[in-house]
Amino acid sequence: MATKRVMLVAGNWKMNGLAAEGHALAQAVAAGAEGVGCELLVCPPAVLLSTAGAALSGSGVALGGQDCHPEESGAHTGDLSAEMLADAGSRFVIVGHSERRADHGESDALVRAKALAAHRAGLTTVICVGETEVERDAGRADAVVAGQIKGSLPEKATAADTVIAYEPVWAIGTGRTPTPDEVQAMHRHMRAIVSGSHGAEIARQIRLLYGGSVKPGNASELMALEDVDGALVGGASLVAADFLAIAGCCA
Ligand code: PEP
Protein backbone atom coordinates (compact mmCIF):
# COMPACT_ATOMS: atom_id res chain seq x y z
CA MET A 1 0.00 0.00 0.00
CA ALA A 2 1.48 3.37 -0.99
CA THR A 3 2.36 5.66 1.91
CA LYS A 4 3.02 9.28 1.10
CA ARG A 5 6.39 10.54 2.32
CA VAL A 6 5.88 13.38 4.82
CA MET A 7 8.26 16.19 4.02
CA LEU A 8 10.79 17.20 6.66
CA VAL A 9 12.57 20.54 7.00
CA ALA A 10 15.46 20.36 9.44
CA GLY A 11 17.47 23.30 10.77
CA ASN A 12 21.11 22.66 11.59
CA TRP A 13 22.23 25.56 13.78
CA LYS A 14 25.80 24.22 13.84
CA MET A 15 28.02 26.05 16.39
CA ASN A 16 25.89 29.19 16.56
CA GLY A 17 23.97 30.92 19.30
CA LEU A 18 24.10 31.50 23.03
CA ALA A 19 21.21 30.71 25.35
CA ALA A 20 19.19 33.90 24.89
CA GLU A 21 19.41 33.81 21.08
CA GLY A 22 18.75 30.08 20.94
CA HIS A 23 15.68 30.44 23.11
CA ALA A 24 14.35 33.35 21.04
CA LEU A 25 14.99 31.54 17.75
CA ALA A 26 13.29 28.36 18.93
CA GLN A 27 10.37 30.38 20.26
CA ALA A 28 9.96 32.16 16.92
CA VAL A 29 10.06 28.83 15.05
CA ALA A 30 7.50 27.37 17.46
CA ALA A 31 5.25 30.39 17.04
CA GLY A 32 5.22 30.07 13.25
CA ALA A 33 5.02 26.30 13.02
CA GLU A 34 1.28 25.90 13.19
CA GLY A 35 -0.27 25.01 9.88
CA VAL A 36 3.07 24.37 8.15
CA GLY A 37 2.52 21.47 5.79
CA CYS A 38 5.60 19.47 6.74
CA GLU A 39 7.45 18.08 9.72
CA LEU A 40 9.90 20.53 11.31
CA LEU A 41 13.12 19.71 13.15
CA VAL A 42 15.55 22.00 14.95
CA CYS A 43 19.09 20.81 15.78
CA PRO A 44 20.75 23.32 18.12
CA PRO A 45 24.20 23.01 19.67
CA ALA A 46 24.03 20.39 22.44
CA VAL A 47 24.23 22.92 25.26
CA LEU A 48 21.08 24.59 23.91
CA LEU A 49 19.00 21.42 23.67
CA SER A 50 17.26 22.08 26.93
CA THR A 51 16.52 25.77 26.37
CA ALA A 52 15.43 25.19 22.76
CA GLY A 53 13.43 22.13 23.83
CA ALA A 54 11.56 24.20 26.42
CA ALA A 55 10.73 26.85 23.81
CA LEU A 56 9.54 24.22 21.31
CA SER A 57 7.48 22.30 23.83
CA GLY A 58 3.92 21.69 22.62
CA SER A 59 4.62 23.16 19.16
CA GLY A 60 5.09 19.86 17.33
CA VAL A 61 8.56 20.96 16.18
CA ALA A 62 11.02 18.15 16.88
CA LEU A 63 14.37 18.57 18.56
CA GLY A 64 17.57 16.88 17.41
CA GLY A 65 21.28 16.61 18.08
CA GLN A 66 24.04 17.37 15.58
CA ASP A 67 26.19 14.32 16.31
CA CYS A 68 26.52 11.41 18.75
CA HIS A 69 29.15 8.96 19.90
CA PRO A 70 28.77 5.30 18.90
CA GLU A 71 28.92 4.10 22.51
CA GLU A 72 26.29 4.45 25.22
CA SER A 73 28.63 5.80 27.91
CA GLY A 74 32.24 5.70 29.00
CA ALA A 75 35.57 7.47 28.91
CA HIS A 76 35.06 9.73 25.88
CA THR A 77 35.79 13.25 27.02
CA GLY A 78 33.71 15.87 25.32
CA ASP A 79 31.43 13.41 23.51
CA LEU A 80 27.70 12.83 23.87
CA SER A 81 25.85 9.55 23.55
CA ALA A 82 22.63 9.06 21.64
CA GLU A 83 20.99 8.09 24.93
CA MET A 84 21.97 11.49 26.37
CA LEU A 85 20.45 13.26 23.38
CA ALA A 86 17.24 11.27 23.75
CA ASP A 87 17.19 12.00 27.47
CA ALA A 88 17.50 15.72 26.67
CA GLY A 89 14.37 15.54 24.50
CA SER A 90 15.84 14.81 21.07
CA ARG A 91 13.98 12.64 18.62
CA PHE A 92 16.53 12.95 15.82
CA VAL A 93 20.28 13.19 15.36
CA ILE A 94 22.35 14.28 12.37
CA VAL A 95 25.27 11.95 11.65
CA GLY A 96 28.00 12.11 9.03
CA HIS A 97 27.68 15.81 8.27
CA SER A 98 30.45 16.78 5.85
CA GLU A 99 31.88 19.20 8.41
CA ARG A 100 32.34 16.29 10.81
CA ARG A 101 33.65 14.02 8.07
CA ALA A 102 36.20 16.75 7.18
CA ASP A 103 37.00 18.31 10.58
CA HIS A 104 37.04 15.07 12.58
CA GLY A 105 38.03 12.55 9.91
CA GLU A 106 34.80 10.60 10.26
CA SER A 107 34.66 7.54 8.02
CA ASP A 108 31.57 5.82 6.64
CA ALA A 109 32.13 3.00 9.14
CA LEU A 110 32.11 5.45 12.06
CA VAL A 111 29.00 7.18 10.70
CA ARG A 112 27.29 3.81 10.48
CA ALA A 113 28.30 2.98 14.08
CA LYS A 114 26.86 6.32 15.21
CA ALA A 115 23.63 5.65 13.31
CA LEU A 116 23.35 2.23 14.95
CA ALA A 117 23.82 3.85 18.37
CA ALA A 118 21.16 6.42 17.57
CA HIS A 119 18.68 3.74 16.49
CA ARG A 120 19.41 1.79 19.67
CA ALA A 121 18.50 4.93 21.64
CA GLY A 122 15.26 5.35 19.69
CA LEU A 123 16.42 8.32 17.63
CA THR A 124 15.82 8.86 13.93
CA THR A 125 19.05 9.55 12.08
CA VAL A 126 19.63 12.16 9.39
CA ILE A 127 22.60 10.59 7.61
CA CYS A 128 24.47 13.10 5.44
CA VAL A 129 26.22 12.28 2.18
CA GLY A 130 27.58 14.42 -0.62
CA GLU A 131 30.50 14.88 -2.96
CA THR A 132 33.19 17.57 -2.95
CA GLU A 133 33.66 19.89 -5.90
CA VAL A 134 36.76 18.00 -7.00
CA GLU A 135 34.83 14.74 -6.98
CA ARG A 136 31.95 16.30 -8.96
CA ASP A 137 34.31 17.83 -11.51
CA ALA A 138 35.95 14.44 -11.95
CA GLY A 139 32.54 12.91 -12.75
CA ARG A 140 32.58 10.89 -9.54
CA ALA A 141 29.60 12.38 -7.68
CA ASP A 142 27.29 9.39 -8.22
CA ALA A 143 29.95 6.90 -7.18
CA VAL A 144 30.95 8.89 -4.08
CA VAL A 145 27.37 9.24 -2.89
CA ALA A 146 26.65 5.58 -3.60
CA GLY A 147 29.70 4.56 -1.57
CA GLN A 148 28.71 6.80 1.33
CA ILE A 149 25.17 5.41 1.39
CA LYS A 150 26.37 1.81 1.26
CA GLY A 151 29.01 2.47 3.91
CA SER A 152 27.02 4.66 6.30
CA LEU A 153 23.54 3.15 6.46
CA PRO A 154 23.08 0.36 8.99
CA GLU A 155 22.01 -2.91 7.38
CA LYS A 156 18.72 -2.82 9.26
CA ALA A 157 17.96 0.85 8.62
CA THR A 158 14.32 1.52 7.80
CA ALA A 159 12.40 4.46 6.41
CA ALA A 160 11.03 5.03 9.92
CA ASP A 161 14.40 5.41 11.64
CA THR A 162 16.52 6.87 8.84
CA VAL A 163 16.48 9.97 6.66
CA ILE A 164 19.26 10.65 4.15
CA ALA A 165 20.40 14.19 3.38
CA TYR A 166 22.19 14.85 0.09
CA GLU A 167 24.49 17.79 0.74
CA PRO A 168 27.04 18.51 -1.97
CA VAL A 169 29.97 19.85 0.03
CA TRP A 170 30.58 22.65 -2.49
CA ALA A 171 27.02 23.95 -1.99
CA ILE A 172 27.14 24.20 1.81
CA GLY A 173 27.24 27.82 2.94
CA THR A 174 28.40 29.03 -0.48
CA GLY A 175 25.17 30.30 -2.03
CA ARG A 176 25.71 27.85 -4.90
CA THR A 177 23.41 24.91 -5.60
CA PRO A 178 23.21 22.20 -8.21
CA THR A 179 20.47 22.81 -10.78
CA PRO A 180 17.07 21.31 -9.96
CA ASP A 181 17.67 18.68 -12.67
CA GLU A 182 20.98 17.72 -11.06
CA VAL A 183 19.36 17.47 -7.62
CA GLN A 184 16.50 15.34 -8.94
CA ALA A 185 18.94 13.08 -10.82
CA MET A 186 21.06 12.57 -7.70
CA HIS A 187 18.03 11.86 -5.49
CA ARG A 188 16.71 9.34 -8.01
CA HIS A 189 20.15 7.72 -8.05
CA MET A 190 20.15 7.62 -4.23
CA ARG A 191 16.78 5.91 -4.17
CA ALA A 192 18.11 3.31 -6.61
CA ILE A 193 21.13 2.70 -4.37
CA VAL A 194 18.90 2.25 -1.31
CA SER A 195 16.69 -0.08 -3.34
CA GLY A 196 19.72 -2.22 -4.11
CA SER A 197 20.97 -2.32 -0.53
CA HIS A 198 17.74 -2.24 1.53
CA GLY A 199 14.97 -3.20 -0.90
CA ALA A 200 12.46 -1.41 -3.08
CA GLU A 201 9.90 -0.77 -0.32
CA ILE A 202 12.37 1.04 1.98
CA ALA A 203 13.71 2.97 -1.02
CA ARG A 204 10.21 4.09 -1.91
CA GLN A 205 9.43 5.25 1.65
CA ILE A 206 12.74 6.70 2.85
CA ARG A 207 12.95 10.47 3.00
CA LEU A 208 15.73 12.11 1.00
CA LEU A 209 16.47 15.71 1.99
CA TYR A 210 18.43 18.18 -0.08
CA GLY A 211 20.89 20.44 1.77
CA GLY A 212 23.29 23.13 0.60
CA SER A 213 22.38 26.82 0.41
CA VAL A 214 18.62 26.27 0.61
CA LYS A 215 17.02 29.71 0.98
CA PRO A 216 13.46 31.05 0.72
CA GLY A 217 14.28 32.13 -2.84
CA ASN A 218 15.23 28.69 -4.17
CA ALA A 219 13.24 26.39 -1.88
CA SER A 220 10.08 26.19 -4.00
CA GLU A 221 11.76 24.71 -7.05
CA LEU A 222 13.93 22.36 -5.02
CA MET A 223 11.11 21.14 -2.75
CA ALA A 224 8.86 20.51 -5.76
CA LEU A 225 11.22 17.86 -7.17
CA GLU A 226 9.79 14.36 -7.23
CA ASP A 227 12.46 12.66 -5.14
CA VAL A 228 13.17 15.54 -2.73
CA ASP A 229 11.34 15.06 0.56
CA GLY A 230 12.48 18.17 2.38
CA ALA A 231 15.56 20.14 3.26
CA LEU A 232 18.47 20.24 5.68
CA VAL A 233 19.06 23.93 6.21
CA GLY A 234 22.15 25.53 7.74
CA GLY A 235 22.53 29.32 7.49
CA ALA A 236 18.89 30.09 6.74
CA SER A 237 17.74 28.13 9.79
CA LEU A 238 19.26 30.85 12.00
CA VAL A 239 16.56 33.28 10.88
CA ALA A 240 13.14 32.01 11.93
CA ALA A 241 11.29 33.79 9.13
CA ASP A 242 13.59 32.25 6.49
CA PHE A 243 13.39 28.78 8.00
CA LEU A 244 9.60 28.98 8.15
CA ALA A 245 9.42 30.37 4.60
CA ILE A 246 11.40 27.33 3.39
CA ALA A 247 9.05 25.05 5.31
CA GLY A 248 6.14 26.88 3.68
CA CYS A 249 7.41 25.69 0.29
CA CYS A 250 6.72 22.07 1.25
CA ALA A 251 3.22 20.94 0.49
C1 PEP B 1 24.41 22.32 6.18
O1 PEP B 1 25.56 22.51 6.53
O2 PEP B 1 23.79 21.33 6.60
C2 PEP B 1 23.81 23.28 5.26
C3 PEP B 1 22.92 22.82 4.45
O3 PEP B 1 24.27 24.58 5.31
P1 PEP B 1 23.76 25.81 4.40
O4 PEP B 1 22.25 25.73 4.32
O5 PEP B 1 24.22 27.02 5.14
O6 PEP B 1 24.38 25.64 3.08
Side-chain angles (χ1 to χ4, degrees):
M1 185 60 206
T3 327
K4 195 173 171 338
R5 298 186 296 268
V6 177
M7 294 191 84
L8 170 67
V9 174
N12 174 13
W13 294 3
K14 310 193 185 187
M15 195 175 72
N16 291 295
L18 302 179
E21 290 160 80
H23 190 262
L25 178 53
Q27 247 179 354
V29 170
E34 205 180 310
V36 169
C38 66
E39 207 177 331
L40 287 177
L41 165 65
V42 162
C43 299
V47 290
L48 298 186
L49 280 170
S50 131
T51 185
L56 295 173
S57 173
S59 70
V61 180
L63 189 67
Q66 297 178 10
D67 178 51
C68 67
H69 192 277
E71 288 176 30
E72 191 172 340
S73 62
H76 302 289
T77 303
D79 280 316
L80 292 167
S81 70
E83 284 77 6
M84 290 171 177
L85 294 175
D87 188 49
S90 301
R91 286 180 36 222
F92 288 78
V93 63
I94 299 168
V95 291
H97 192 281
S98 62
E99 286 153 14
R100 292 208 60 89
R101 289 179 186 262
D103 296 354
H104 301 271
E106 294 193 0
S107 64
D108 290 333
L110 179 58
V111 174
R112 184 199 296 234
K114 290 181 174 204
L116 273 169
H119 294 163
R120 182 187 64 220
L123 299 177
T124 298
T125 46
V126 179
I127 300 179
C128 300
V129 298
E131 81 286 357
T132 63
E133 187 158 28
V134 170
E135 289 163 342
R136 171 160 283 253
D137 289 347
R140 293 180 47 227
D142 283 4
V144 167
V145 168
Q148 288 173 330
I149 290 176
K150 288 179 194 156
S152 305
L153 256 67
E155 202 183 324
K156 295 202 167 123
T158 68
D161 65 23
T162 303
V163 174
I164 307 175
Y166 169 56
E167 299 206 304
V169 178
W170 52 273
I172 293 178
T174 60
R176 296 164 57 207
T177 61
T179 65
D181 283 353
E182 287 170 334
V183 173
Q184 169 55 25
M186 180 59 86
H187 280 230
R188 178 162 298 189
H189 167 66
M190 290 163 67
R191 232 178 262 292
I193 298 301
V194 175
S195 184
S197 58
H198 289 74
E201 191 52 27
I202 289 177
R204 201 176 53 74
Q205 290 187 15
I206 199 163
R207 291 185 289 184
L208 305 180
L209 311 187
Y210 169 75
S213 295
V214 178
K215 310 279 177 213
N218 61 16
S220 293
E221 60 179 354
L222 291 167
M223 296 305 108
L225 298 168
E226 187 183 340
D227 285 294
V228 172
D229 306 310
L232 179 52
V233 185
S237 73
L238 299 174
V239 178
D242 288 355
F243 184 61
L244 291 166
I246 292 167
C249 296
C250 298

